[in-house]
Amino acid sequence: MKWSGKKVLITGGGGFIGSNLALKLVSLGSEVTILDSFMPMYGGNPANLRGFDHMRINVSDMRDRYSMRYLVE
């Protein structure tokens, strides 16, 4: 699958796996949006995304249906 130009939403993108996935997808040309609540108990850490360019970061909880509706549109 070609990732260039694809829009990708990564839930939990502030964690170790999500941030590394985001970095790879950006390098392949994807338009990446990260969704993370950055609640300490869930492992999200803003430092994992420091220095990342060319991606959107949305700080919200995926259980919030209004946020999800906006992001998925």
Side-chain angles (χ1 to χ4, degrees):
M1 176 177 202
K2 305 240 181 209
W3 290 100
S4 182
K6 301 289 184 182
K7 292 182 179 182
V8 179
L9 174 64
I10 300 174
T11 59
F16 177 78
I17 294 171
S19 61
N20 283 288
L21 174 61
L23 182 61
K24 181 64 176 178
L25 289 172
V26 166
S27 75
L28 295 173
S30 295
E31 296 177 34
V32 175
T33 300
I34 288 180
L35 169 69
D36 204 302
S37 63
F38 293 108
M39 294 175 151
M41 65 188 114
Y42 296 127
N45 185 345
N48 291 340
L49 302 173
R50 195 168 293 132
F52 281 30
D53 295 327
H54 310 292
M55 69 178 68
R56 291 178 19 188
I57 300 172
N58 185 287
V59 180
S60 61
D61 193 321
M62 71 179 292
R63 296 172 292 184
D64 178 357
R65 65 180 173 185
Y66 300 107
S67 291
M68 289 303 294
R69 184 176 298 141
Y70 168 77
L71 290 169
V72 173
E73 285 180 357

